[in-house]
Amino acid sequence: MWLSFHALAQQCLSDFDATTATETFVDNNNGTVTDPDLGLIWMSCSLGQTLVTHSCICDADELSGQQALQFAHGYEFAEPV
């Protein structure tokens, strides 16, 4: 019998600036934006919301940290940039 376990952890960086100017992000025109400094791609809106004319509408889903990690694992939102 084989068992498989996945460990998930998050590390907060104490020297990381948590605020970034909106102008820093590049709009990918597919519901995502790219942070060129970090090389990360972010969804423009939270889960449960819809992007309409540069605004997020509807209520965002409320997830615990564990639920968010489980949902994000293998989640695909948009075509690759």
Side-chain angles (χ1 to χ4, degrees), residues 26-34 41-44 51 77-78 81:
V26 176
D27 187 347
N28 299 316
N29 296 313
N30 64 357
T32 66
V33 293
T34 298
I41 299 174
W42 302 91
M43 291 173 50
S44 297
L51 183 65
F77 175 73
V81 180

Side-chain angles (χ1 to χ4, degrees), residues 51-74:
L51 183 65
V52 177
T53 317
H54 304 291
S55 295
C56 297
I57 62 169
C58 299
D59 293 328
D61 294 344
E62 292 186 29
L63 304 173
S64 69
Q66 185 62 37
Q67 288 172 317
L69 287 172
Q70 289 172 335
F71 190 88
H73 183 73

